[in-house]
Structures are given as structure tokens and as C-alpha cells.
Amino acid sequence: VLAKMRRVLPPSVGVSAKIRLPVDATELKDRIERIVDTGVDLITVHGRTLRENKTKVRGADWDAIALAAQIARECSGNSDFPVVANGGIEYGSDVRRCLDHTGASAAMSSESLLENPALFATTGPYAADDAQLTPRQLLDRQMSLVDEYLDLCTLYPPVPGSLGRVGGSYNVVRSHVFKMTYRYLEERPDIRTKLASSSVASIPATRKIVAELRASYEGLSDAEWEGCKSGQAGSSWYRRHRDGASRVHRRGGHAANAGSLSEIPSVEEKKRIMKERLRKLKEQKEKRMVV
């Protein structure tokens, strides 16, 4: 597929590939070389395997990403072949450490950006890592990000109906607000329930709930703030499937809290579960059509 895309598309259109690490580390060299041989312009390497996902997530293996970058550049004959590192980017400061360790051309983030869209800021009020902020400052930052996001949604709303007829484009807005306020909603389940309600389907209504959430923290003393889990590293959206005290990347080997691989469903089991889920959805749709 990659080779054909590169042949058919004009040179001005880049073709990239993104992979996770193979479960068998000895397969990495062959996988990278085969991808390079297709003629792609860029490779992104996620420093985790397919088995390391959601509740089974482990620290990103920066050593393996460094090896992948080395292989890609040797195979391509281009010492500057673009390789993007993915995984273990929790704070802005992690970007430079990741690039220095892996030798990658760039770094990408997904989970952390959902909570802190300003993750890559290097100057200004959003440039500080979470650990550099007091709990009160962290709240102020997150609420400012939510306010700015809702302003942008007002100017540039998501495509109507992009997620179906129920909820429509507002579901996109709700989802992002949930992630940016995750650590606080976990402490205020009553407000979380309000935001999740189907009766809330507009930006003005969302602003009222966000204002209520913010007001619930006003007047807290320093001692009370210290007792709030929301001010601790383990309470973030990024850490929800991780041990809050563990490191978010590793240099070789397996993370200490890796868990058992035997608990992870096989590919065939995942297919079976998906088929069963689709069958039930089809039955529900047919019942609605009959009614």
C-alpha cells in the first residue's frame, strides 16, 4: 500500500507511516527497512507495542525509538531521514529530553495534548510544566485553556453531524472539555454528571458548568489545596491508565508495573468481541426500524 501510494502520488505530496514497536524486538530492523524501501518520506515510531495500550500501557521505550531512527537512516542512506518519536511526552520538557535521547527529528504527543493543548508552548504563560505550578496555578491554566477552546469553537464550530445525529458536533466539544477538566471533574462528580447530561448541548451551557466547576475551588486555603488530588501528578488525564508514581518512559527493558501479557486479549479474541458487538448493534438498529 505504501509503495503504491508513493508511486501514484506526486512528489509534492508526502507519504508517511506510523508504527508501534513489534512485540518481538528482533523484528524491528526488518520492519523499519521494509517501510523505508517503500519510499515513504517519514516514519513515526510509537515506543510501545500493540499490547501496551489503555490499562495495559507501559512506559515508552526511547531506546527502541533511537534504534529505529538509526536503522532508518542507515537503510535509506540519508543521515537526516525524518523519524518522529511518539510516546512518553507528558510535559513540554519531555520533548527536548526525548529528542536528545532518541535522535529523532521531531516528537509527537496525543494523550497529553488532549488535556493540555499548550503542551508545546516554549514561551508565555503556558510554558511551565505541571510540576512547576502550584495547584491553584494549575487550575487557572486549565480553565484558561477551556475558555480559549470554547471561544475557538464559537468561531470555528466542528462540522455538524460529524459524530452522528445524536449530540452531533457538540459531542466533540464536550469530549475535549472533559479531558481538559478531567482531574477536577474526578473530584466533583456532581458537576461531571451535569456536563455529561444530554440536556447540555450548547457552548453557553458548557460555560456555565465550567464556571461552576471553577467556583467550587475558590476560597480554598493552601492546606485544603494540598489535600486535593487534582494538584498531584497522578490525577491527570495522561495518567489515568498509569501508576501515578511510575515513570512514563523507559530506557530499555520493561516497566516495573508492566502486568501480565497473558491478560491481554489475542487478535482473534479481539475480532470475536468486535463481531459480537457489531451483531448486537445491528439487532438494535433493526428493532428501531421495526418500531
Side-chain angles (χ1 to χ4, degrees):
V1 173
L2 290 171
K4 186 170 184 178
M5 288 177 65
R6 183 63 286 166
R7 287 196 305 270
V8 173
L9 294 172
S12 59
V13 178
V15 176
S16 64
K18 183 174 186 289
I19 68 166
R20 279 179 172 254
L21 299 177
V23 176
D24 183 349
T26 62
E27 296 177 1
L28 180 62
K29 186 175 187 296
D30 178 65
R31 185 171 300 182
I32 293 294
E33 289 178 343
R34 287 169 61 193
I35 293 175
V36 170
D37 287 343
T38 66
V40 296
D41 303 285
L42 176 152
I43 299 176
T44 298
V45 182
H46 189 152
R48 300 183 180 92
T49 70
L50 285 172
R51 293 179 176 178
E52 297 169 316
N53 196 16
K54 302 300 181 184
T55 56
K56 303 299 181 183
V57 74
R58 294 147 169 86
D61 191 339
W62 287 359
D63 283 343
I65 296 176
L67 177 59
Q70 178 185 338
I71 295 169
R73 287 160 184 165
E74 290 177 352
C75 178
S76 66
N78 177 6
S79 60
D80 295 320
F81 186 90
V83 175
V84 179
N86 179 212
I89 306 297
E90 183 174 14
Y91 306 119
S93 60
D94 289 326
V95 175
R96 174 45 55 192
R97 294 193 300 107
C98 177
L99 295 179
D100 289 343
H101 187 86
T102 63
S105 313
M108 71 167 287
S109 174
S110 55
E111 292 288 287
S112 291
L113 278 173
L114 291 171
E115 182 172 22
N116 177 15
L119 178 75
F120 287 108
T122 56
T123 60
Y126 295 146
D129 284 353
D130 292 9
Q132 297 173 293
L133 303 174
T134 66
R136 186 178 284 106
Q137 289 173 329
L138 184 59
L139 173 71
D140 288 341
R141 185 196 73 184
Q142 291 306 113
M143 293 302 160
S144 294
L145 288 169
V146 172
D147 288 342
E148 186 174 347
Y149 171 67
L150 293 176
D151 288 343
L152 290 170
C153 286
T154 302
L155 292 172
Y156 312 103
V159 178
S162 59
L163 289 184
R165 290 174 294 179
V166 180
S169 58
Y170 177 74
N171 283 343
V172 178
V173 178
R174 191 203 315 269
S175 176
H176 282 291
V177 172
F178 256 115
K179 294 174 177 66
M180 284 186 272
T181 58
Y182 173 80
R183 63 177 75 212
Y184 305 108
L185 293 174
E186 287 292 287
E187 292 182 326
R188 302 289 190 268
D190 55 327
I191 299 178
R192 180 181 62 199
T193 300
K194 289 182 181 180
L195 182 59
S197 172
S198 59
S199 63
V200 176
S202 70
I203 291 177
T206 304
R207 289 189 189 277
K208 289 182 180 179
I209 293 176
V210 172
E212 181 182 353
L213 179 62
R214 185 168 195 164
S216 72
Y217 285 91
E218 290 181 358
L220 293 185
S221 66
D222 290 341
E224 289 173 319
W225 268 114
E226 289 299 321
C228 291
K229 185 180 178 181
S230 56
Q232 302 171 11
S235 65
S236 68
W237 169 259
Y238 183 86
R239 293 273 183 166
R240 71 195 186 285
H241 291 317
R242 298 165 171 84
D243 176 1
S246 69
R247 298 186 66 81
V248 296
H249 61 81
R250 65 174 187 261
R251 293 175 173 84
H254 294 282
N257 61 330
S260 172
L261 291 180
S262 62
E263 300 173 5
I264 303 170
S266 66
V267 173
E268 292 304 317
E269 178 65 11
K270 288 180 179 179
K271 288 181 179 179
R272 186 194 66 77
I273 294 172
M274 181 58 69
K275 286 180 179 178
E276 179 64 18
R277 187 178 300 169
L278 291 172
R279 184 187 65 78
K280 290 181 179 180
L281 288 172
K282 184 178 180 180
E283 289 180 351
Q284 292 173 1
K285 184 178 179 180
E286 290 174 347
K287 287 180 180 179
R288 287 197 298 267
M289 292 176 66
V290 171
V291 174

mmCIF file of all heavy atoms in Angstrom, residues 263-280:
data_model
loop_
_atom_site.group_PDB
_atom_site.id
_atom_site.type_symbol
_atom_site.label_atom_id
_atom_site.label_comp_id
_atom_site.label_asym_id
_atom_site.label_seq_id
_atom_site.Cartn_x
_atom_site.Cartn_y
_atom_site.Cartn_z
ATOM 1 N N GLU A 263 -2.937 -11.464 30.222
ATOM 2 C CA GLU A 263 -4.228 -10.862 30.453
ATOM 3 C C GLU A 263 -4.731 -10.124 29.223
ATOM 4 O O GLU A 263 -5.881 -9.718 29.156
ATOM 5 C CB GLU A 263 -4.137 -9.877 31.630
ATOM 6 C CG GLU A 263 -3.711 -10.521 32.942
ATOM 7 C CD GLU A 263 -3.481 -9.485 34.016
ATOM 8 O OE1 GLU A 263 -3.758 -8.300 33.749
ATOM 9 O OE2 GLU A 263 -3.058 -9.839 35.107
ATOM 10 N N ILE A 264 -3.883 -9.926 28.228
ATOM 11 C CA ILE A 264 -4.230 -9.150 27.053
ATOM 12 C C ILE A 264 -4.888 -10.050 26.013
ATOM 13 O O ILE A 264 -4.348 -11.095 25.658
ATOM 14 C CB ILE A 264 -2.970 -8.508 26.456
ATOM 15 C CG1 ILE A 264 -2.286 -7.644 27.517
ATOM 16 C CG2 ILE A 264 -3.309 -7.685 25.225
ATOM 17 C CD1 ILE A 264 -0.918 -7.162 27.110
ATOM 18 N N PRO A 265 -6.079 -9.672 25.520
ATOM 19 C CA PRO A 265 -6.772 -10.498 24.529
ATOM 20 C C PRO A 265 -5.933 -10.678 23.269
ATOM 21 O O PRO A 265 -5.238 -9.759 22.844
ATOM 22 C CB PRO A 265 -8.049 -9.707 24.235
ATOM 23 C CG PRO A 265 -8.224 -8.792 25.392
ATOM 24 C CD PRO A 265 -6.837 -8.471 25.854
ATOM 25 N N SER A 266 -6.026 -11.847 22.679
ATOM 26 C CA SER A 266 -5.334 -12.095 21.414
ATOM 27 C C SER A 266 -6.050 -11.362 20.296
ATOM 28 O O SER A 266 -7.175 -10.867 20.461
ATOM 29 C CB SER A 266 -5.314 -13.593 21.117
ATOM 30 O OG SER A 266 -6.640 -14.054 20.893
ATOM 31 N N VAL A 267 -5.415 -11.305 19.120
ATOM 32 C CA VAL A 267 -6.032 -10.655 17.970
ATOM 33 C C VAL A 267 -7.352 -11.340 17.613
ATOM 34 O O VAL A 267 -8.362 -10.686 17.318
ATOM 35 C CB VAL A 267 -5.081 -10.682 16.763
ATOM 36 C CG1 VAL A 267 -5.787 -10.159 15.521
ATOM 37 C CG2 VAL A 267 -3.834 -9.859 17.049
ATOM 38 N N GLU A 268 -7.351 -12.679 17.653
ATOM 39 C CA GLU A 268 -8.561 -13.429 17.324
ATOM 40 C C GLU A 268 -9.672 -13.147 18.322
ATOM 41 O O GLU A 268 -10.849 -13.033 17.956
ATOM 42 C CB GLU A 268 -8.254 -14.933 17.281
ATOM 43 C CG GLU A 268 -7.356 -15.350 16.130
ATOM 44 C CD GLU A 268 -7.937 -14.934 14.785
ATOM 45 O OE1 GLU A 268 -9.174 -15.103 14.596
ATOM 46 O OE2 GLU A 268 -7.178 -14.441 13.937
ATOM 47 N N GLU A 269 -9.296 -13.022 19.599
ATOM 48 C CA GLU A 269 -10.291 -12.738 20.630
ATOM 49 C C GLU A 269 -10.865 -11.341 20.437
ATOM 50 O O GLU A 269 -12.075 -11.118 20.592
ATOM 51 C CB GLU A 269 -9.655 -12.859 22.020
ATOM 52 C CG GLU A 269 -10.604 -12.535 23.179
ATOM 53 C CD GLU A 269 -11.765 -13.506 23.303
ATOM 54 O OE1 GLU A 269 -11.741 -14.562 22.635
ATOM 55 O OE2 GLU A 269 -12.700 -13.204 24.066
ATOM 56 N N LYS A 270 -10.016 -10.389 20.069
ATOM 57 C CA LYS A 270 -10.492 -9.031 19.809
ATOM 58 C C LYS A 270 -11.463 -9.019 18.636
ATOM 59 O O LYS A 270 -12.473 -8.306 18.658
ATOM 60 C CB LYS A 270 -9.312 -8.103 19.531
ATOM 61 C CG LYS A 270 -8.466 -7.778 20.758
ATOM 62 C CD LYS A 270 -7.319 -6.847 20.388
ATOM 63 C CE LYS A 270 -6.484 -6.513 21.608
ATOM 64 N NZ LYS A 270 -5.340 -5.630 21.271
ATOM 65 N N LYS A 271 -11.157 -9.798 17.587
ATOM 66 C CA LYS A 271 -12.043 -9.881 16.426
ATOM 67 C C LYS A 271 -13.398 -10.465 16.830
ATOM 68 O O LYS A 271 -14.447 -9.996 16.384
ATOM 69 C CB LYS A 271 -11.408 -10.755 15.345
ATOM 70 C CG LYS A 271 -10.229 -10.104 14.633
ATOM 71 C CD LYS A 271 -9.689 -11.043 13.561
ATOM 72 C CE LYS A 271 -8.514 -10.411 12.817
ATOM 73 N NZ LYS A 271 -7.957 -11.321 11.793
ATOM 74 N N ARG A 272 -13.353 -11.491 17.682
ATOM 75 C CA ARG A 272 -14.592 -12.129 18.118
ATOM 76 C C ARG A 272 -15.451 -11.138 18.895
ATOM 77 O O ARG A 272 -16.675 -11.047 18.683
ATOM 78 C CB ARG A 272 -14.289 -13.348 18.992
ATOM 79 C CG ARG A 272 -15.519 -14.163 19.364
ATOM 80 C CD ARG A 272 -15.228 -15.138 20.486
ATOM 81 N NE ARG A 272 -14.917 -14.443 21.728
ATOM 82 C CZ ARG A 272 -15.837 -13.874 22.502
ATOM 83 N NH1 ARG A 272 -17.120 -13.894 22.143
ATOM 84 N NH2 ARG A 272 -15.490 -13.275 23.626
ATOM 85 N N ILE A 273 -14.812 -10.391 19.781
ATOM 86 C CA ILE A 273 -15.534 -9.404 20.587
ATOM 87 C C ILE A 273 -16.149 -8.328 19.701
ATOM 88 O O ILE A 273 -17.294 -7.914 19.888
ATOM 89 C CB ILE A 273 -14.584 -8.766 21.622
ATOM 90 C CG1 ILE A 273 -14.140 -9.824 22.654
ATOM 91 C CG2 ILE A 273 -15.252 -7.591 22.326
ATOM 92 C CD1 ILE A 273 -13.054 -9.343 23.600
ATOM 93 N N MET A 274 -15.368 -7.874 18.703
ATOM 94 C CA MET A 274 -15.862 -6.834 17.800
ATOM 95 C C MET A 274 -17.042 -7.338 16.968
ATOM 96 O O MET A 274 -18.026 -6.626 16.770
ATOM 97 C CB MET A 274 -14.726 -6.365 16.887
ATOM 98 C CG MET A 274 -15.138 -5.255 15.913
ATOM 99 S SD MET A 274 -15.785 -3.788 16.761
ATOM 100 C CE MET A 274 -14.268 -3.204 17.540
ATOM 101 N N LYS A 275 -16.958 -8.581 16.476
ATOM 102 C CA LYS A 275 -18.058 -9.143 15.685
ATOM 103 C C LYS A 275 -19.329 -9.237 16.529
ATOM 104 O O LYS A 275 -20.429 -8.948 16.048
ATOM 105 C CB LYS A 275 -17.671 -10.528 15.160
ATOM 106 C CG LYS A 275 -16.658 -10.501 14.017
ATOM 107 C CD LYS A 275 -16.339 -11.909 13.551
ATOM 108 C CE LYS A 275 -15.344 -11.889 12.397
ATOM 109 N NZ LYS A 275 -14.983 -13.255 11.951
ATOM 110 N N GLU A 276 -19.174 -9.641 17.772
ATOM 111 C CA GLU A 276 -20.326 -9.753 18.666
ATOM 112 C C GLU A 276 -20.926 -8.382 18.937
ATOM 113 O O GLU A 276 -22.154 -8.215 18.959
ATOM 114 C CB GLU A 276 -19.894 -10.410 19.982
ATOM 115 C CG GLU A 276 -21.014 -10.567 21.006
ATOM 116 C CD GLU A 276 -22.125 -11.501 20.530
ATOM 117 O OE1 GLU A 276 -21.892 -12.280 19.587
ATOM 118 O OE2 GLU A 276 -23.226 -11.441 21.119
ATOM 119 N N ARG A 277 -20.073 -7.389 19.081
ATOM 120 C CA ARG A 277 -20.548 -6.029 19.323
ATOM 121 C C ARG A 277 -21.312 -5.499 18.111
ATOM 122 O O ARG A 277 -22.373 -4.880 18.239
ATOM 123 C CB ARG A 277 -19.361 -5.120 19.637
ATOM 124 C CG ARG A 277 -19.745 -3.710 20.074
ATOM 125 C CD ARG A 277 -18.505 -2.912 20.395
ATOM 126 N NE ARG A 277 -17.736 -3.525 21.459
ATOM 127 C CZ ARG A 277 -16.509 -3.147 21.800
ATOM 128 N NH1 ARG A 277 -15.922 -2.156 21.137
ATOM 129 N NH2 ARG A 277 -15.874 -3.741 22.775
ATOM 130 N N LEU A 278 -20.770 -5.748 16.920
ATOM 131 C CA LEU A 278 -21.432 -5.307 15.700
ATOM 132 C C LEU A 278 -22.771 -6.013 15.501
ATOM 133 O O LEU A 278 -23.745 -5.412 15.025
ATOM 134 C CB LEU A 278 -20.521 -5.560 14.487
ATOM 135 C CG LEU A 278 -19.264 -4.684 14.397
ATOM 136 C CD1 LEU A 278 -18.366 -5.170 13.266
ATOM 137 C CD2 LEU A 278 -19.645 -3.233 14.188
ATOM 138 N N ARG A 279 -22.800 -7.302 15.863
ATOM 139 C CA ARG A 279 -24.047 -8.058 15.728
ATOM 140 C C ARG A 279 -25.132 -7.454 16.608
ATOM 141 O O ARG A 279 -26.284 -7.279 16.175
ATOM 142 C CB ARG A 279 -23.818 -9.524 16.120
ATOM 143 C CG ARG A 279 -25.047 -10.417 15.928
ATOM 144 C CD ARG A 279 -24.817 -11.804 16.487
ATOM 145 N NE ARG A 279 -24.633 -11.790 17.939
ATOM 146 C CZ ARG A 279 -25.642 -11.674 18.807
ATOM 147 N NH1 ARG A 279 -26.907 -11.574 18.371
ATOM 148 N NH2 ARG A 279 -25.400 -11.672 20.104
ATOM 149 N N LYS A 280 -24.781 -7.100 17.831
ATOM 150 C CA LYS A 280 -25.753 -6.515 18.754
ATOM 151 C C LYS A 280 -26.223 -5.144 18.273
ATOM 152 O O LYS A 280 -27.401 -4.804 18.385
ATOM 153 C CB LYS A 280 -25.137 -6.400 20.145
ATOM 154 C CG LYS A 280 -24.940 -7.749 20.832
ATOM 155 C CD LYS A 280 -24.359 -7.575 22.223
ATOM 156 C CE LYS A 280 -24.195 -8.923 22.919
ATOM 157 N NZ LYS A 280 -23.618 -8.779 24.287
#
